[in-house]
Amino acid sequence: MSAPFLPLTRPTIDDETIAGVAEVLRSGWITSGPKVKELEAKLSAHCGGRPVRVFNSGTCTMEIALRIAGIGPGHEVITTPLSWVATSNVILTCGARPVFVDIDPTTRNIDLERAEAAITPATRAIIPVDLAGLPVDRDRLHAIATKHGLRVIEDAAQSLGGNWRGRAIGAAGDFVSFSFHPNKNITTIEGGALVLNNQAEAKLAEQYRLQGVVRTGFDGMEVEIVGGKFNLTDVAARVGLGQLPHLAAFNARRTELARAYFERFDAPAVRELGLGLPPRDFTQTNWHMFQVMLPGDRLSIPRAGVMERMHAAGIGTGVHYPPIHLFAVYRRLGWKPGDLPIAERTGRDILTLPLFPAMTSADVARVVENLAAILQAHRQP
Ligand SMILES: *Cc1c(COP(=O)(O)O)cnc(C)c1O
């Protein structure tokens, strides 16, 4: 009998959380209420006491941060092309222009030197992404932002529980955005959180979250800004409250599994296949993903062929991400192949391997053995 299918990722939700969700469902209050407030308080404690508000996605937190910062038509926002398309879609949603700069080939994160060089009089903000949970250099990032008077929206969707020089991601900086999609290190099914600078921004975030409404007393209601429908339910918040206490243990387990991957990939017979490995950071990264670079030029099958063969061997893989600037929407804005060669090469050869807390080191061994065998069998003569 063959081993069960090993997915790319899978959330770990314990029985206490499931019982807690049932309790909320029976309570008579299932949409935003006390559980939302409790989750915000716990996340705020994680972020050094800074104000935190939760929402029904990570995407909307970045849109709301841009709106709070007053960013819109005529403004430019600098970001990375190697991310989930949400990162730049929110810039377009607000009517501003995304300006992509190429990535650092080692970290696969935005190249901050290129980011600084791309600043124009129209630039208002930078949105860096901690790809796979590897933090962007926060010292450099905020030095550039301060020097040029720019806002920063850290897309930390993938780096919750990570840190920069010992300080939790979210505990410092300007706006910080997290996602609780099921693939992220903790989940609320769907959801997100935004770390803000002060109570005035938190108040605005609450308005943008729910139709711009401000209530006073028993019957007072005013609407001064156009908000949307971005509130998180108490059912979802209860899932988050059951997840957050496990965040450190989940990330520690992910780190152990990442080490197991390196051990397997460092074996001489695997090493000579020419795979590119991620940076070996075991102190700051939350190991949201383990991504390798296929030796594209030396293979006789395309990446999709490798993925198909892995799937046939009962192993899920993924691509994070095709470069954003080459999607049709962005090409229509003038971006074209060759504009960002490092991101394009990375987007072509990168492959995400299974990594989640419930995996075993035997699973890691199985992934590397199968990948190595496929590469071995399809080496360019
Ligand atoms: C998941 C993710 C988002 C969006 O989060 P949602 O909760 O799905 O809206 C944004 N940016 C990055 C880098 C992500 O990984």
Side-chain angles (χ1 to χ4, degrees), residues 97-183:
R97 200 170 92 79
V99 174
F100 299 104
V101 296
D102 216 340
I103 60 167
D104 175 308
T106 306
T107 64
R108 304 158 182 170
N109 284 332
I110 191 166
D111 180 332
L112 288 172
E113 201 166 312
R114 286 190 164 95
E116 187 168 25
I119 295 170
T120 74
T123 308
R124 290 293 180 278
I126 307 182
I127 309 185
V129 175
D130 300 322
L131 189 73
L134 178 74
V136 167
D137 181 336
R138 294 301 197 273
D139 301 327
R140 193 78 207 287
L141 170 70
H142 291 290
I144 293 168
T146 303
K147 181 172 160 202
H148 298 274
L150 305 178
R151 298 303 300 262
V152 175
I153 297 134
E154 295 175 22
D155 181 347
Q158 303 186 359
S159 56
L160 182 64
N163 70 87
W164 178 255
R165 296 190 194 279
R167 206 161 187 199
I169 298 298
D174 191 355
F175 294 110
V176 184
S177 161
F178 295 115
S179 166
F180 304 127
H181 181 274
N183 286 357

Side-chain angles (χ1 to χ4, degrees), residues 254-266:
R254 285 172 175 275
T255 304
E256 273 176 20
L257 292 164
R259 283 185 188 277
Y261 265 122
F262 282 113
E263 208 171 291
R264 298 275 162 183
F265 280 119
D266 285 344

Side-chain angles (χ1 to χ4, degrees), residues 40 51-55 60-61 63-71 151 175 194-215 222-231:
E40 288 175 342
V52 177
R53 293 296 180 270
V54 295
F55 303 82
C60 74
T61 66
E63 180 186 329
I64 289 169
L66 287 167
R67 294 202 190 279
I68 292 172
I71 291 164
R151 298 303 300 262
F175 294 110
L194 183 64
V195 188
L196 305 116
N197 295 288
N198 51 52
Q199 290 308 318
E201 283 183 359
K203 197 89 220 158
L204 270 174
E206 289 175 13
Q207 287 175 252
Y208 280 116
R209 181 166 67 182
L210 201 58
Q211 313 296 358
V213 165
V214 180
R215 294 178 185 276
E222 188 51 274
V223 180
E224 283 173 346
I225 58 169
V226 182
K229 173 70 180 174
F230 300 123
N231 59 303

Side-chain angles (χ1 to χ4, degrees), residues 80-91:
T80 171
L82 202 76
S83 182
W84 176 228
V85 68
T87 308
S88 57
N89 276 353
V90 295
I91 301 169

Side-chain angles (χ1 to χ4, degrees), residues 22-46:
E23 221 172 277
V24 173
L25 288 170
R26 288 192 200 98
S27 73
W29 194 281
I30 56 177
T31 188
S32 310
K35 298 300 176 195
V36 160
K37 285 221 152 56
E38 199 182 328
L39 181 58
E40 288 175 342
K42 296 252 157 74
L43 288 167
S44 173
H46 176 85

